[in-house]
């Protein structure tokens, strides 16, 4: 089974905005340095994105923006200790497989 074009597009879009430093939810957060200095933070964000994203039976993504929000909230909280993720992550959201 291949990943759907819908999922591929959602992942590509998320990856582009994360790697370019232009994700609108991370405005004024200097997170690009994490790629070279603390890649485990980026790994965790992608794990959250992958764990949270939902697809229907046809492979169409149902919640891309929510999955992005949960992932970038992790990066924001990592870079800004005053930022609190709400609601707090559940164990299944942050699991690394």
């Amino acid at each position: 089974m291949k990943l759907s074009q819908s999922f591929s597009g959602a992942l590509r879009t998320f990856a582009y905005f994360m790697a370019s430093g232009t994700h609108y939810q991370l405005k004024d957060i200097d997170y690009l340095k994490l790629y070279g200095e603390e890649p485990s933070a980026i790994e965790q964000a992608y794990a959250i994105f992958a764990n949270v994203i939902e697809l229907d039976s046809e492979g169409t993504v149902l919640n891309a923006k929510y999955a992005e929000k949960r992932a970038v909230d992790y990066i924001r909280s990592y870079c800004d200790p005053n930022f609190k993720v709400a609601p707090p992550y559940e164990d299944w959201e942050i699991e690394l497989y």
Side-chain angles (χ1 to χ4, degrees):
M1 179 169 157
K2 288 186 147 197
L3 294 173
S4 68
Q5 289 180 351
S6 179
F7 176 78
S8 179
L11 178 60
R12 177 196 50 76
T13 300
F14 178 61
Y16 171 82
F17 286 111
M18 289 297 294
S20 69
T22 60
H23 199 288
Y24 69 96
Q25 293 177 5
L26 292 172
K27 186 175 181 180
D28 300 325
I29 301 293
D30 182 21
Y31 67 93
L32 284 180
K33 66 183 179 182
L34 298 176
Y35 279 89
E37 297 174 9
E38 299 182 58
S40 63
I42 301 300
E43 175 189 27
Q44 184 66 65
Y46 276 85
I48 292 167
F49 179 82
N51 292 343
V52 171
I53 202 159
E54 296 177 359
L55 311 173
D56 68 12
S57 61
E58 302 297 315
T60 301
V61 173
L62 302 173
N63 66 341
K65 292 300 178 194
Y66 182 71
E68 281 187 28
K69 179 174 180 7
R70 296 300 281 168
V72 299
D73 278 356
Y74 175 79
I75 295 295
R76 181 177 289 280
S77 70
Y78 192 90
C79 294
D80 177 2
N82 295 317
F83 180 80
K84 301 298 180 214
V85 176
Y89 292 110
E90 295 184 35
D91 290 342
W92 64 269
E93 291 178 289
I94 58 173
E95 189 70 40
L96 295 173
Y97 295 103

